[in-house]
Amino acid sequence: MEKTATLNIRINPEVKKSAEIILSRLGVPMATAIDMFLKQVTLTGGIPFAVTLPKAPDSINMDLMSPAQIRDKLNEELSDIDNRRVRPAREAFAQFREGRSDEGL
């Protein structure tokens, strides 16, 4: 089938760049990836993957906490900041992706 329709979208530049890097490694052009996605929407009759909110661990899920527990948790975190028991987010996410624990804080 000939491709003649044009799709113009606005997307976060960082998301686009990240996707382009991965798609390039796969050898798949962005337009092909989007075409694949749209074909899957048609074939499955919906979005071809689960669209859900991430589940927070109960220990930090504010939906399960009382106002006093939320306040205590925030005070605990502020204490960590005041006592410099923090690290850059980039480092924490890299450690998380590698499956390492919070050692060394």
Side-chain angles (χ1 to χ4, degrees), residues 9 20-21 24 32 51 73 76 85 102:
I9 61 172
E20 285 174 331
I21 290 168
S24 174
T32 302
V51 179
K73 190 69 163 169
E76 179 184 323
R85 290 188 302 257
D102 288 337

Side-chain angles (χ1 to χ4, degrees), residues 6-67:
T6 300
L7 177 65
N8 293 310
I9 61 172
R10 292 192 183 277
I11 189 162
N12 178 303
E14 292 176 20
V15 171
K16 180 179 180 277
K17 183 66 177 170
S18 296
E20 285 174 331
I21 290 168
I22 293 168
L23 292 170
S24 174
R25 291 177 62 195
L26 292 170
V28 177
M30 179 72 72
T32 302
I34 292 169
D35 192 52
M36 291 166 56
F37 170 76
L38 294 175
K39 284 180 182 177
Q40 285 297 306
V41 167
T42 302
L43 287 170
T44 62
I47 296 177
F49 47 83
V51 179
T52 60
L53 295 173
K55 173 120 173 68
D58 289 350
S59 63
I60 61 169
N61 188 339
M62 290 179 49
D63 292 336
L64 304 177
M65 299 169 83
S66 69

Side-chain angles (χ1 to χ4, degrees), residues 86-99:
V86 296
R87 64 178 184 267
R90 178 173 287 151
E91 178 185 315
F93 285 121
Q95 186 175 351
F96 173 78
R97 282 188 212 97
E98 293 170 7

